[in-house]
Amino acid sequence: LAALQTAAATETAMQFVSAMQAWAPFYSLLAATLGLIVALFAWRQDHALRHVYALALPVSRTRYVGMRFGAGAIFLAPVFAAHLASALLVAMSSSIPEGLQVYPVALTLRFAFAALVSYTVFFAIASSTQQTAGVIIGAIAAVLGAQYLFGVFGLRVNLLDPILDFLFYRPGLLWVFAGRWMLVDV
């Protein structure tokens, strides 16, 4: 809705699409943040109690993790419904210029898929021990630090491009976060 308010002040259809496109990265960022927050809250209680309760239950660890994953994923559903409702409100708006198409369901499905991918990745990290999570964060920091040092010393070594290509371009694990996130397009 905020994107529509910004874009409605434009004069041409091209400016309208450009204004809507300026908001596109926020959809991706919001989906990733949503997945992160829900995943961290899914394991918060277990980490606080040092997994004693989980280990005392008469269910297998696999089933327990599956139930915890499903319970956390259910908390994403209201956000998806709110996203669809706001996208449908934009679709019904009279301020969309003639000749442009609105894709509320497609954008909501992409948002939902991205949030679920983010939730899954962060759920896996959050389910591990703090030491394992520290190793993962340390490895990411080491790559970023090495890339920075290569730049400081003038070396033309690029560690990030192959990693980002592997993760964000098809068939990368996180390809859903890249590309165009357009609610209104030609």
Side-chain angles (χ1 to χ4, degrees):
L1 295 173
L4 177 65
Q5 286 179 333
T6 305
T10 61
E11 296 177 12
T12 66
M14 182 177 254
Q15 291 172 340
F16 188 90
V17 170
S18 295
M20 291 294 283
Q21 189 173 6
W23 285 84
F26 293 109
Y27 293 120
S28 176
L29 184 62
L30 182 62
T33 304
L34 177 66
L36 169 67
I37 290 170
V38 174
L40 291 179
F41 275 109
W43 287 103
R44 189 174 139 249
Q45 193 66 23
D46 270 340
H47 288 308
L49 298 174
R50 299 190 168 288
H51 301 277
V52 172
Y53 176 73
L55 295 172
L57 290 174
V59 296
S60 68
R61 181 78 173 153
T62 305
R63 182 168 178 187
Y64 178 73
V65 169
M67 289 170 32
R68 184 158 297 274
F69 182 84
I74 288 172
F75 282 103
L76 296 172
V79 178
F80 301 154
H83 187 280
L84 180 61
S86 63
L88 288 172
L89 283 173
V90 170
M92 290 185 258
S93 170
S94 62
S95 58
I96 297 174
E98 192 72 29
L100 296 180
Q101 300 291 319
V102 184
Y103 304 98
V105 175
L107 183 65
T108 300
L109 288 175
R110 183 173 184 168
F111 180 82
F113 184 65
L116 286 170
V117 167
S118 173
Y119 172 67
T120 303
V121 168
F122 289 120
F123 183 87
I125 293 170
S127 69
S128 63
T129 63
Q130 290 179 348
Q131 181 180 5
T132 304
V135 168
I136 292 169
I137 292 170
I140 293 169
V143 169
L144 292 175
Q147 183 65 49
Y148 174 75
L149 290 176
F150 289 149
V152 168
F153 292 118
L155 300 173
R156 293 185 178 234
V157 177
N158 192 346
L159 298 175
L160 295 179
D161 279 347
I163 294 170
L164 293 176
D165 286 345
F166 175 74
L167 291 175
F168 288 101
Y169 295 102
R170 288 187 184 178
L173 173 68
L174 305 174
W175 70 266
V176 70
F177 293 101
R180 293 173 52 118
W181 285 70
M182 296 295 293
L183 176 59
V184 178
D185 207 350
V186 182

